[in-house]
């Protein structure tokens, strides 16, 4: 189905006509630079190109007052002095004779993108638009924003396509207060925003940008603000916010569509944002969102930043290749044939000929085949190998404890952290427990480990349903540049093999169905492992403080407030609290896969006084 790219060159027409240092950074080059980079990387030609149309008066009226739309329309015939006088009535805004046309194109681009995605013409897409929109309110321009592009798209999706649950993720460095105001009493829209806040001392200087602004009326609990109280937030902070806060809520909300207010002033190199997240980080964030809503993700440009090229993390020195161990179970012809196919596929992945794949093996040879695959990967170019083994599969006894292999067994008899690189946990019995395990343990460890090869082995008695296996494989695809090899037993159902093949090709995993609370046993196992592993794994050193009643709760079990990584027991999933705060943690290391995520510090958030 592919990806749509929506754009129109007329959106570069508006520009500042007078001297205004506050507004001079909003200029046409911010849009053309983004398009030029897409063309340089050959990405534009890989997308379905759509030319933006103008939003109609009725479509603008979905969120804006008729009087305000009429006011903006009149700017087409105003002189420079009149435009400057009108601009002065709003905060950080300028009008131009082309503003109305450009703003209608920006809103219309979002509508076209949503229609293309929801009708199945494409799977996802990006709207390159200008002017931006997330600060715009019902009857007011604000912060360079004229019409609220994302809000109009959300209202359109509800009205025209009959959607009931829409997730809006706003990763711009400024709070999108316009979106918040428009949907704060609407439980059909879950709005999540992180933003530079500094206790209200950063624009837009609003009290309602703080974490305790959670919506009102029927929308209580459907606004989630994560205000950063210091600059310098990096890859680890952003990934941790997704894993520990956004995604647990998003899975429970179960959106039918994801809209992204994609402002890149929250990335490294932007003088206003002063954050440290690399461009590659946003690829990982986007990938994590694509497991939601059947992969229906629409991103709309807010404020693009200027980003320097970022070097990848240094790689550890490779050891001498290890010799493959003999295995009696591989003597049989069918086992050797299956092993040969697996090694052929694995070599192709390591050589860059293919990105991912599935291999089948006789059940009796599953453990031996996995052992050989690990040794082959480590001796043929993989520097760090992540193995997620499900079912009755034990870690090879003579696998070196050199930090190059992270072994995670889901399906063990009991929770055990035999070392920081050898972890076992029982298979959670409830869907809520499975999600908690993936978001609260597997992915934080995986992102901290930075693998360049991932093996997912579904061994004897793995007990995993197809949608659960698909979700696990899909979320792991964001690591190791997508180099994921799934190993199945030959007697696995065709449905399981088919669903894994589809997600490894990039399709979204199917829904897990209605959300459920993790069982007490699952909570206990997860919290025990987090407590054991937290000192060694920085991505686990995150803590939340929850405040007030929520109509729902986070999907991750939590513990007492203390040092990073701990939250009080009364704030567990069953509690109903409205606001969560990320608190400081030491600097974790995050992935060097696609493009190389660098290590970054955590510690943007401080308790409310």
């Amino acid at each position: 189905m592919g990806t749509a790219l929506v754009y129109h060159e007329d959106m570069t027409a508006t520009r500042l006509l007078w001297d205004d240092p506050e507004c001079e950074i909003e200029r046409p080059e911010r849009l053309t630079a983004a398009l030029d980079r897409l063309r340089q990387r050959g990405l534009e030609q890989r997308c379905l190109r759509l030319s933006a149309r103008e939003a109609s008066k009725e479509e603008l009226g979905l969120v804006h007052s008729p009087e305000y739309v009429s006011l903006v329309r009149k700017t087409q015939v105003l002189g420079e002095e009149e435009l400057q006088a009108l601009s002065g009535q709003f905060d950080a805004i300028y009008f131009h004779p082309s503003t109305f046309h450009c703003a209608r194109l920006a809103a219309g681009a979002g509508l076209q993108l949503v229609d293309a995605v929801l009708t199945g013409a494409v799977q996802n897409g990006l709207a390159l638009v200008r002017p931006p929109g997330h600060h715009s309110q019902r009857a007011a321009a604000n912060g360079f924003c004229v019409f609220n592009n994302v809000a109009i798209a959300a209202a359109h999706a509800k009205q025209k396509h009959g959607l009931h649950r829409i997730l809006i993720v706003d990763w711009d460095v400024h709070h999108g207060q316009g979106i918040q105001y428009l949907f704060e009493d609407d439980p059909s829209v879950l709005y999540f925003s992180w933003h530079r806040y500094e206790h209200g001392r950063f624009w837009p200087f609003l009290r309602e940008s703080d974490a305790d602004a959670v919506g009102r009326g029927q929308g209580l609990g459907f606004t989630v603000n994560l205000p950063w109280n210091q600059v310098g937030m990096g890859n680890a902070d952003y990934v941790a916010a997704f894993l520990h806060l956004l995604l647990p809520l998003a899975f429970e909300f179960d959106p039918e569509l994801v809209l992204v207010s994609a402002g890149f002033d929250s990335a490294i190199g932007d003088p206003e944002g002063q954050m440290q997240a690399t461009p590659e980080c946003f690829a990982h964030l986007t990938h994590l969102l694509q497991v939601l809503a059947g992969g229906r993700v629409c991103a709309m440009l807010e404020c693009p930043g200027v980003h320097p090229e970022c070097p990848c993390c240094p790689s550890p020195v490779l050891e001498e290749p290890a010799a493959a161990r003999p295995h009696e179970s591989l003597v049989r012809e069918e086992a050797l044939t299956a092993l040969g196919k697996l090694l052929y596929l694995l070599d192709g992945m390591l050589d860059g000929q293919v990105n991912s794949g599935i291999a089948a093996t006789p059940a009796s040879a599953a453990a031996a085949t996995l052992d050989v695959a690990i040794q082959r990967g480590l001796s043929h170019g993989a520097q760090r190998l992540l193995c997620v083994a499900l079912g009755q599969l034990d870690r090879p006894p003579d696998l070196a404890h050199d930090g190059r292999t992270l072994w995670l067994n889901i399906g063990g008899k009991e929770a055990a952290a035999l070392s920081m690189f050898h972890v076992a946990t029982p298979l959670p019995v409830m869907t809520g427990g499975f999600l908690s395990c993936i978001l609260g343990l597997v992915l934080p460890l995986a992102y901290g480990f930075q693998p360049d090869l991932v093996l997912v082995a579904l061994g004897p008695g793995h007990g995993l349903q197809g949608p659960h296996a698909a979700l696990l494989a899909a979320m792991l695809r964001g690591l190791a540049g997508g180099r994921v090899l799934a190993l199945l037993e030959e007697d696995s159902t065709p449905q399981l093999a088919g669903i894994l093949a589809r997600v490894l090709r990039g399709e979204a995993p199917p829904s897990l169905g209605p959300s459920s609370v993790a069982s007490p046993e699952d909570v206990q196992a997860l919290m025990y492992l987090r407590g054991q592993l937290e000192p060694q794994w920085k991505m686990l050193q995150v803590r939340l403080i929850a405040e007030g009643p929520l109509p729902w709760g986070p999907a991750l079990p939590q513990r007492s407030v203390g040092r990073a990584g701990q939250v009080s027991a009364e704030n567990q999933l069953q509690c109903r609290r409205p606001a969560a705060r990320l608190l400081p943690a030491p600097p974790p290391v995050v992935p060097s896969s696609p493009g190389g995520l660098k290590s970054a510090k955590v510690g943007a958030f401080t308790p409310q006084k």
Side-chain angles (χ1 to χ4, degrees):
M1 294 168 59
T3 298
L5 178 64
V6 191
Y7 174 76
H8 198 294
E9 61 183 10
D10 283 3
M11 285 186 280
T12 63
T14 63
R15 60 177 61 248
L16 186 63
L17 298 177
W18 53 86
D19 184 36
D20 185 345
E22 183 180 35
C23 292
E24 65 183 6
I25 62 173
E26 208 301 298
R27 56 187 188 269
E29 291 76 16
R30 288 160 50 126
L31 189 60
T32 56
L35 184 61
D36 288 345
R37 178 57 65 91
L38 291 176
R39 288 170 173 166
Q40 291 168 9
R41 297 296 178 90
L43 295 174
E44 182 190 26
Q45 64 190 34
R46 295 171 57 185
C47 298
L48 174 64
R49 178 69 184 272
L50 300 176
S51 180
R53 66 168 176 86
E54 289 186 332
S56 68
K57 175 182 177 180
E58 292 72 24
E59 289 166 337
L60 297 175
L62 291 172
V63 302
H64 294 291
S65 70
E67 296 79 10
Y68 174 66
V69 175
S70 177
L71 175 68
V72 180
R73 180 186 294 111
K74 292 177 181 178
T75 61
Q76 299 176 100
V77 296
L78 296 182
E80 180 176 329
E81 291 186 2
E82 295 170 304
L83 289 169
Q84 186 172 3
L86 179 61
S87 301
Q89 298 177 26
F90 301 97
D91 183 11
I93 195 76
Y94 69 86
F95 290 108
H96 180 279
S98 297
T99 291
F100 185 61
H101 174 53
C102 292
R104 289 180 66 191
L105 284 174
L111 299 178
Q112 277 186 288
L113 179 55
V114 166
D115 286 343
V117 168
L118 293 180
T119 58
V122 293
Q123 179 67 48
N124 50 53
L126 169 67
L128 286 177
V129 300
R130 179 177 175 266
H134 69 150
H135 300 305
S136 175
Q137 297 151 44
R138 175 170 171 76
N142 185 266
F144 312 148
C145 301
V146 179
F147 297 134
N148 201 311
N149 308 316
V150 167
I152 292 171
H156 173 79
K158 292 170 57 179
Q159 181 193 67
K160 180 177 179 179
H161 298 279
L163 299 195
H164 301 286
R165 297 180 310 280
I166 298 172
L167 169 64
I168 298 177
V169 178
D170 190 340
W171 65 43
D172 193 279
V173 84
H174 301 92
H175 180 222
Q177 80 277 27
I179 298 177
Q180 178 170 311
Y181 294 155
L182 290 166
F183 295 115
E184 61 185 350
D185 59 354
D186 186 349
S188 68
V189 175
L190 174 60
Y191 175 63
F192 172 87
S193 173
W194 65 38
H195 40 269
R196 183 176 170 185
Y197 184 62
E198 297 186 76
H199 305 286
R201 295 189 294 271
F202 188 72
W203 195 92
F205 313 113
L206 297 173
R207 175 66 182 80
E208 53 267 39
S209 301
D210 206 352
D212 55 359
V214 296
R216 59 184 177 86
Q218 292 186 333
L220 182 66
F222 292 87
T223 295
V224 183
N225 283 318
L226 179 55
W228 304 119
N229 282 325
Q230 68 185 54
V231 298
M233 298 303 98
N235 298 334
D237 304 281
Y238 289 4
V239 172
F242 265 48
L243 296 182
H244 296 291
L245 182 57
L246 171 60
L247 289 176
L249 296 175
F251 274 109
E252 186 168 347
F253 183 64
D254 192 22
E256 300 164 289
L257 175 68
V258 178
L259 301 177
V260 182
S261 283
F264 294 102
D265 49 4
S266 55
I268 190 171
D270 188 272
E272 177 113 348
Q274 298 184 41
M275 298 303 178
Q276 295 296 316
T278 65
E280 294 81 9
C281 181
F282 294 89
H284 286 264
L285 301 180
T286 303
H287 174 80
L288 291 172
L289 292 177
Q290 287 179 306
V291 303
L292 302 166
R296 292 181 289 274
V297 179
C298 299
M300 301 176 201
L301 192 65
E302 294 291 352
C303 296
V306 180
H307 312 124
E309 294 295 329
C310 301
C312 299
C313 294
S315 302
V317 177
L318 290 177
E319 298 181 356
E320 291 297 321
R325 293 179 288 274
H327 289 279
E328 294 182 2
S329 60
L330 295 177
V331 174
R332 297 180 180 178
E333 182 178 354
E334 64 270 20
L336 282 175
T337 300
L339 178 61
K341 293 179 179 179
L342 179 146
L343 295 178
Y344 180 79
L345 174 59
L346 182 57
D347 288 349
M349 292 172 59
L350 294 170
D351 294 340
Q353 300 176 32
V354 294
N355 203 48
S356 58
I358 298 177
T361 183
S364 60
T369 302
L370 179 58
D371 183 11
V372 174
I374 292 173
Q375 296 301 323
R376 181 70 157 226
L378 293 174
S379 63
H380 284 69
Q383 302 167 17
R384 294 175 299 276
L385 188 151
L386 167 63
C387 182
V388 181
L390 297 111
Q392 301 168 18
L393 290 171
D394 295 328
R395 186 181 189 274
D398 49 355
L399 184 62
H401 292 272
D402 55 4
R404 292 181 59 201
T405 305
L406 173 58
W407 176 278
L408 303 179
N409 176 225
I410 303 176
K413 295 181 179 179
E414 60 183 5
L418 302 177
S419 77
M420 69 178 291
F421 298 109
H422 183 186
V423 181
T425 185
L427 177 68
V429 297
M430 305 289 288
T431 293
F434 179 76
L435 283 173
S436 295
C437 180
I438 300 305
L439 297 176
L441 183 67
V442 175
L443 289 178
L445 295 184
Y447 270 93
F449 183 62
Q450 308 178 61
D452 45 26
L453 178 65
V454 177
L455 301 181
V456 181
L458 277 65
H462 62 79
L464 212 57
Q465 299 297 316
H468 296 75
L471 177 66
L472 174 61
M475 300 196 81
L476 290 174
R477 281 189 68 245
L479 300 156
R483 288 181 291 275
V484 178
L485 174 60
L487 178 63
L488 308 179
E489 296 177 309
E490 286 183 338
D491 57 358
S492 297
T493 65
Q495 291 81 3
L496 177 59
I499 198 172
L500 284 173
R502 289 192 293 273
V503 298
L504 290 178
R505 289 180 57 192
E507 293 187 21
S511 171
L512 298 184
S515 61
S516 63
V517 176
S519 70
E521 294 79 11
D522 293 341
V523 171
Q524 183 178 10
L526 178 57
M527 298 321 301
Y528 170 76
L529 290 173
R530 286 177 63 96
Q532 293 293 307
L533 295 166
E534 178 191 316
Q536 291 83 31
W537 292 99
K538 302 299 192 297
M539 287 295 286
L540 295 177
Q541 297 176 5
V542 175
R543 56 177 173 166
L544 305 176
I545 289 183
E547 308 158 348
L550 261 181
W552 54 9
L556 288 176
Q558 303 162 346
R559 293 194 295 169
S560 63
V561 174
R563 63 200 191 87
Q566 301 179 355
V567 186
S568 64
E570 66 265 28
N571 298 336
Q572 290 187 15
L573 172 61
Q574 296 84 346
C575 286
R576 304 296 187 247
R577 307 249 175 160
R581 295 177 169 275
L582 289 179
L583 296 180
V589 176
V590 286
S592 61
S593 54
L597 292 187
K598 301 174 64 181
S599 62
K601 70 177 182 179
V602 174
F605 230 44
T606 54
Q608 185 179 21
K609 297 182 180 179

